[in-house]
Amino acid sequence: MRVLVAGATGAVGRQLVPRLEAAGHEVVGISRRGPRPVDVLDAGAVRRAVAEAAPHAVVHQLTDLGGADGAANNRVRVEGTRNLVDAARAAGVGRIVAQSISWAYAPGDGPADESVPLDGTEEQPRARIVAGVRALEAVVSELPEAVVLRYGILYGPGTWYAPGGAVAASLAGDPEARFLGSTAADASVSSFVHVADAADAAVRALARPSGAYNVVDDEPAAGHDWLPVLADALGVPAPEQAEGRTPWARGAVNTRARALGWAPVRPSWRTGFTDQGV
């Protein structure tokens, strides 16, 4: 199968391209940088790139996280996804796999499965984040076969949580460190996934039934549990334990993805943080 990977030079894309090739697929990668530079916000450029590639399927791994600018990333989710889907439709592509997130669910007491609705809050900035996710998922679902991968917080090479990354800098006290996330060691629950496991899920998704899938490890955890482990792995001070919990920070479960054959090689952040790879 010829697969176009949009976002081929990102943290997941760099893991994904060689895995697709190892699985026997022909891969065409596009991104803002690299051998095929394409601005996803330029509808004409995206249409030309997809038409030239003539793929059988598109994998959408586009983000704009380098500057930790939530508005810029949201624009890629909304406008970039619209451009990519329109280009895919014009090129006769019927199948898309798209990156989403697993922390956009409505508040609740336990980890969320895919039946939980997305958060309907009007509180900003969360309302804008969820609106971007909702728009992305709705637009990709316009294609006949659409798989949405709701990733946990990504760690591993090229992420904010990698050794030497923005989270390590923040925990070490660097006031210039920038990332979108929290280092509050409270009862708010997060789900993680290593970028290699996220990429494996995207490969499998090419043959998976349409729908949304949580792609997370097996152990949702409160900040007061995972942050000390991460800090130790990164060699930086752990934050002091705090009280409280953000109601929507509930984590997610991967039962549906596991039922269709995906399983994380790093099933827990407890060992994964110390084995992030290169």
Side-chain angles (χ1 to χ4, degrees):
M1 181 186 297
R2 186 181 304 111
V3 181
L4 183 141
V5 177
T9 60
V12 177
R14 290 196 298 271
Q15 301 274 339
L16 175 58
V17 169
R19 284 170 168 79
L20 287 169
E21 291 174 339
H25 299 293
E26 178 186 348
V27 181
V28 177
I30 62 171
S31 64
R32 287 174 297 171
R33 304 174 184 86
R36 290 175 179 264
V38 176
D39 181 0
V40 73
L41 300 180
D42 181 338
V46 175
R47 185 173 292 233
R48 288 189 295 272
V50 176
E52 179 183 343
H56 303 108
V58 169
V59 180
H60 174 356
Q61 298 287 345
L62 293 162
T63 60
D64 187 353
L65 296 170
D69 183 338
N73 195 49
N74 225 37
R75 190 178 179 198
V76 168
R77 283 185 178 141
V78 177
E79 296 179 36
T81 301
R82 177 79 274 166
N83 292 341
L84 187 61
V85 168
D86 286 349
R89 183 186 293 109
V93 181
R95 187 164 189 84
I96 189 168
V97 175
Q99 175 184 149
S100 186
I101 59 174
S102 66
W103 59 93
Y105 289 112
D109 292 331
D113 64 19
E114 295 84 353
S115 69
V116 175
L118 299 183
D119 198 345
T121 184
E122 296 181 359
E123 183 178 346
Q124 300 294 355
R126 180 161 171 82
R128 285 190 293 272
I129 294 169
V130 179
V133 171
R134 186 176 282 110
L136 180 153
E137 295 191 0
V139 170
V140 300
S141 295
E142 293 174 9
L143 293 183
E145 300 176 53
V147 175
V148 171
L149 302 178
R150 292 174 175 168
Y151 290 152
I153 296 173
L154 294 165
Y155 71 96
T159 71
W160 288 322
Y161 293 79
V167 174
S170 177
L171 291 173
D174 182 355
E176 301 300 317
R178 295 288 181 270
F179 66 99
L180 302 178
S182 173
T183 55
D186 60 11
S188 298
V189 176
S190 298
S191 283
F192 288 88
V193 66
H194 190 278
V195 285
D197 287 323
D200 286 340
V203 175
R204 291 179 179 273
L206 289 170
R208 186 176 291 173
S210 296
Y213 299 83
N214 291 334
V215 177
V216 297
D217 73 15
D218 295 342
E219 191 174 1
H224 55 64
D225 290 328
W226 65 261
L227 265 162
V229 176
L230 177 66
D232 183 65
L234 298 177
V236 294
E240 293 185 4
Q241 186 165 325
E243 300 296 325
R245 171 181 170 261
T246 302
W248 55 259
R250 57 188 295 183
V253 294
N254 61 22
T255 307
R256 189 173 189 221
R258 275 185 166 275
L260 290 176
W262 174 82
V265 172
R266 293 169 174 83
S268 173
W269 48 269
R270 291 187 187 276
T271 54
F273 286 161
T274 60
D275 180 30
Q276 296 206 35
V278 294

